[in-house]
Every structure is written in structure tokens, then in C-alpha cells.
Amino acid sequence: MNLEEFKKDFIRKELEIADDYGKTFSFIDFSNVNKWFENDNQDWNNKLLAYNEKLSIDLEKIKSFADIFSDRVRIYYGEDPKNNGSLNFTYVMRKLFGKREVMTKDLQKIKHYFELDEQVPSKHIVTDQYGKKYIEIRKSNFDVEISVDAIKMMGHYDTFCIFSGDADFVYLNNFLKKKGKKIIIVKGGFILARLKESADLIINAQNIKKHIVKITKQKPG
């Protein structure tokens, strides 16, 4: 066993992923994963972040981490077709994960009108033609796409791993378990009891922080 194989074996044991989980396909809901550490003020060594630092998901790291126990990794990303930064992000994803493993669709922008006493940073406020103020909430939901793909590929894996704490996957998880599949949930923060009950193994994102994040500088303001 070389050093790389030893490292993978060590991490699998640390995560309690036994050999009987068999062939594993992982599905990463990036819109969910990308929020996991947005309120963290410490790094993976419990060191306080500087005022202008934040934790961000490192695409290369999360791909390498998922590869440790996955035979196939697919990622889902809400793309803003009018934003060059978003398009470049998709390009990087495709280079890392492979073109056919990156599923995208246009990001939805939902208007949220707010009351005058709501505390909203002025730079996010937009005024419509009637003078009413709102902010744009960007949303991208891939529950249907992930569910369809998981069922279509069902004959090719033994374990379904979902990187998301979204309770909407309870129905899918229970369906796959009835078909003899094992379920791994990689989640950030609190999840509902019924989602916990639908899984064979739950991996807390805080416990794998060192494997999937990087420290980035925040823009002033």
C-alpha cells in the first residue's frame, strides 16, 4: 500500500465507511454545500479567521475528497448566464469533474419586497418601476434532477451519497433503501430527524472542513 492509498484508507475508516458500502455514487448539490461555512469564524484548526477572511468551498479539494470513497461524482450548479464569473466557475467545474458530470441550469432570481424596518445592506437594494424596494434572492433547486439521475443510475451503484442537508431528499432516500441501497448524507448544520432516519451514515461537514475548504479574502464592505 503506497502513501496515497494509506491516506484514503485512513480517511475512509475515520468516516466509518465500511467495505460493505460497495460501489458509491456521490451527488453534490453545490447551492446547498456552498452555504455550509458562510457563518463560520474559525478554520479547520479552530483558528479565528481575520475580519476580511472567509471559508469557501475548494472545488479541487471537494472533488478529491469525494473520490476517496466514490466511484463516480456528479455536481449540480445554478449558473448565471449573464455573469462571466459564474460562467468561468462552470468552466473550472467541468475541467475538474468532467463535462458529463457537471449539471447546470439557469439561476432563478426571485424578488423579495421588504418592509422599511428590515436591515438590508443598501448595495443589495433594487427599486422597481413603482418605487418599491426589493432584493433579489438567487435560487437554484436541483432536487428533481438529482432524484431522476439517482434512479436512472440505480443499477450501477450500491450506495447513494448526497452532499446536501435538504429534507426534500427523504423520499428519494427511502425509495432507494427499499431497493437495497445504502445511503450516506454529507450535511452542514442541523437536519430534520426524518432525514437522519433515512440514512445509514451521516457525515458532518464540520468534521471534514480541512478536506473541502479554503480561506479566501472578502471584498471590503
Side-chain angles (χ1 to χ4, degrees):
M1 182 183 292
N2 60 35
L3 183 61
E4 189 62 27
E5 289 173 336
F6 177 80
K7 178 183 175 182
K8 287 184 177 182
D9 188 58
F10 177 82
I11 293 174
R12 284 181 64 99
K13 288 178 179 177
E14 188 177 50
L15 298 174
E16 300 182 355
I17 300 176
D19 291 339
D20 63 358
Y21 278 82
K23 184 177 285 189
T24 299
F25 280 16
S26 289
F27 300 77
I28 301 174
D29 182 356
F30 190 77
S31 63
N32 189 287
V33 170
N34 199 36
K35 299 174 184 175
W36 283 352
F37 306 103
E38 62 184 1
N39 295 319
D40 282 30
N41 60 8
Q42 296 181 339
D43 68 10
W44 46 91
N45 292 317
N46 298 321
K47 179 183 176 183
L48 283 174
L49 299 173
Y51 76 96
N52 64 336
E53 292 179 336
K54 68 175 182 177
L55 296 182
S56 300
I57 297 296
D58 186 310
L59 286 178
E60 190 170 355
K61 279 187 172 184
I62 198 170
K63 174 63 165 63
S64 296
F65 172 75
D67 282 343
I68 289 171
F69 55 87
S70 307
D71 296 87
R72 187 169 181 177
V73 182
R74 177 166 283 199
I75 191 166
Y76 299 77
Y77 172 60
E79 182 182 72
D80 186 347
K82 296 180 180 179
N83 185 310
N84 287 333
S86 180
L87 296 176
N88 289 336
F89 196 72
T90 303
Y91 173 77
V92 173
M93 273 188 173
R94 287 179 175 147
K95 284 195 70 175
L96 289 171
F97 288 81
K99 288 184 178 180
R100 70 174 186 167
E101 303 298 358
V102 178
M103 311 303 292
T104 66
K105 66 180 180 182
D106 288 356
L107 198 65
Q108 292 179 299
K109 295 180 181 180
I110 301 170
K111 293 180 180 179
H112 168 68
Y113 288 89
F114 57 90
E115 303 297 329
L116 292 176
D117 59 348
E118 286 189 59
Q119 298 297 313
V120 180
S122 58
K123 68 178 182 178
H124 298 310
I125 297 174
V126 183
T127 303
D128 67 13
Q129 58 183 324
Y130 304 107
K132 293 185 177 181
K133 298 184 182 298
Y134 67 91
I135 58 173
E136 284 186 341
I137 298 174
R138 299 186 175 191
K139 187 176 181 181
S140 182
N141 193 316
F142 280 96
D143 297 354
V144 172
E145 288 84 353
I146 292 174
S147 296
V148 170
D149 288 348
I151 292 171
K152 284 169 61 177
M153 298 177 184
M154 192 169 58
H156 302 283
Y157 62 80
D158 305 298
T159 297
F160 168 76
C161 175
I162 179 70
F163 282 66
S164 174
D166 192 332
D168 289 340
F169 288 112
V170 170
Y171 191 83
L172 172 65
N173 292 351
N174 288 334
F175 171 80
L176 292 175
K177 287 185 80 172
K178 287 179 181 177
K179 297 296 182 180
K181 308 301 177 185
K182 289 185 178 293
I183 308 296
I184 298 174
I185 295 175
V186 185
K187 61 90 178 180
F190 172 80
I191 61 173
L192 296 179
R194 66 177 185 272
L195 183 60
K196 288 183 181 179
E197 292 164 0
S198 72
D200 295 280
L201 175 65
I202 294 174
I203 298 172
N204 191 321
Q206 290 295 327
N207 296 333
I208 59 169
K209 189 187 284 188
K210 64 183 178 182
H211 298 300
I212 63 174
V213 301
K214 60 184 176 182
I215 297 175
T216 57
K217 300 291 185 181
Q218 298 189 81
K219 293 180 180 180

